[in-house]
Amino acid sequence: MTITASRPVTEVRAARAARRRWWRGKWPLAALLAVLSVLTVSPFVAMFIVALSPAGRPTVPVRWPDSLTLDNIARVLESSGFVTWTVNSLIYAVISVVIILLTSSMAGYAFAKKRFPGREAMFWTFLATMMVPFQATLIPTFVLVNSLDGVDTFWGLIVPTLANSQAVFLMRQFILGLPDELFDAAKVDGASEWRVYWTIVVPLTRPILATLGVFVFLWHWNDFLWPLVVGQSDATRTLTVGLTTLRTEELQLSVLMSSAAVSVVPCLVVFFLLQRYLVNSIAMTGLK
């Protein structure tokens, strides 16, 4: 009885000692991460506080108001163009996500598992396009789109942004880690290339597809330069471009912060829905 009663106590003491040793070695890193978290979240908290503050209340310095109100957000939603800009941004981001995920997964599968002449040269040449900033190709791309009557159209807004070498690179690296025996077994069973892609590649790459989906959505939702050049009317103007037009009007800071707060909501929804896949893919691929 003495032995069975003292053993759990020993284990508990050992666990507590292990936790103390862990905290002695990790608390500087934990403190640094806590400070960085506060610095990262503080602007968003300040934005939402100002957005929910009553109109006319001093906004600088930012402090918690006596009462919160949704009047500023209602005023933003009722303003002309805001809903149209939001829908345009959703169309731009969602269609881009779907097409980029489809094309990058196919290209990543081909570069990772298929054998054809010039594969490595094609891949590294395509990857080298990452070194060319978009600003360097902005004017030639605009001239080409304009010659095809694509200015102020959705296809002119979406198509030039679909070639994403980063997405292809990430998909190739992920698919390289899949065992070749899976694909060989499918070929032995007589599966077509499309069936191999749809029944093996797509299900197994779901984590990296979700991660890419988050990244591509955020890239296109926050994209400014190309939508500014191509979207020349409210019919195709995105939310990031539309918000800049509000700054030219005599609006209070609380209303502008309400516009920014509303524009952040879709990004937060997408991130929280897919954050589990994002963390898993980072752990599996070492994505930085």
Side-chain angles (χ1 to χ4, degrees):
M1 293 296 292
T2 305
I3 295 175
T4 55
S6 61
R7 188 173 180 179
V9 174
T10 305
E11 292 178 355
V12 171
R13 290 177 177 174
R16 290 177 178 174
R19 283 197 295 270
R20 286 196 294 270
R21 287 195 299 272
W22 186 86
W23 272 110
R24 279 198 294 270
K26 299 295 184 181
W27 75 264
L29 178 61
L32 176 62
L33 293 177
V35 172
L36 293 177
S37 300
V38 172
L39 293 177
T40 303
V41 174
S42 295
F44 291 95
V45 175
M47 177 181 67
F48 281 103
I49 290 176
V50 174
L52 298 176
S53 299
R57 178 182 177 275
T59 55
V60 180
V62 178
R63 61 180 184 275
W64 192 259
D66 298 331
S67 61
L68 300 177
T69 179
L70 297 176
D71 292 343
N72 297 324
I73 295 178
R75 183 179 175 184
V76 169
L77 295 177
E78 292 173 355
S79 64
S80 60
F82 188 85
V83 176
T84 303
W85 302 335
T86 304
V87 173
N88 293 341
S89 290
L90 286 174
I91 294 173
Y92 177 46
V94 172
I95 293 178
S96 299
V97 167
V98 173
I99 296 178
I100 288 177
L101 291 186
L102 182 64
T103 56
S104 63
S105 59
M106 289 181 175
Y109 168 57
F111 282 127
K113 297 299 181 182
K114 307 304 292 182
R115 300 289 183 268
F116 53 88
R119 184 189 66 168
E120 294 299 320
M122 289 177 60
F123 174 71
W124 290 109
T125 301
F126 185 64
L127 201 62
T129 59
M130 293 174 60
M131 306 296 291
V132 181
F134 180 72
Q135 290 79 2
T137 61
L138 176 63
I139 295 177
T141 305
F142 178 78
V143 172
L144 176 61
V145 172
N146 186 44
S147 64
L148 298 174
D149 296 329
V151 176
D152 207 19
T153 63
F154 277 108
W155 77 260
L157 181 66
I158 295 172
V159 171
T161 64
L162 296 180
N164 195 312
S165 55
Q166 299 177 36
V168 174
F169 174 74
L170 292 175
M171 290 302 305
R172 175 184 178 270
Q173 296 306 108
F174 191 91
I175 296 174
L176 277 176
L178 301 179
D180 294 335
E181 289 77 9
L182 283 173
F183 303 95
D184 295 336
K187 292 177 183 176
V188 171
D189 291 340
S192 63
E193 289 295 343
W194 172 255
R195 187 172 179 82
V196 171
Y197 166 77
W198 190 250
T199 59
I200 297 179
V201 175
V202 172
L204 293 180
T205 58
R206 195 172 298 166
I208 192 65
L209 286 175
T211 303
L212 275 176
V214 173
F215 287 154
V216 173
F217 184 87
L218 295 180
W219 290 339
H220 286 79
W221 183 266
N222 296 320
D223 193 10
F224 178 76
L225 184 57
W226 182 246
L228 174 66
V229 173
V230 176
Q232 299 182 354
S233 68
D234 281 345
T236 57
R237 187 171 291 158
T238 60
L239 186 58
T240 53
V241 179
L243 290 179
T244 60
T245 63
L246 292 179
R247 294 179 181 178
T248 60
E249 302 175 3
E250 295 182 356
L251 290 178
Q252 296 176 344
L253 181 60
S254 57
V255 179
L256 293 176
M257 289 296 103
S258 300
S259 305
V262 173
S263 68
V264 170
V265 171
C267 299
L268 295 178
V269 171
V270 171
F271 176 77
F272 284 114
L273 287 177
L274 301 177
Q275 63 170 337
R276 179 167 59 92
Y277 296 102
L278 180 64
V279 174
N280 289 340
S281 66
I282 290 175
M284 293 173 64
T285 63
L287 176 66
K288 303 297 182 185

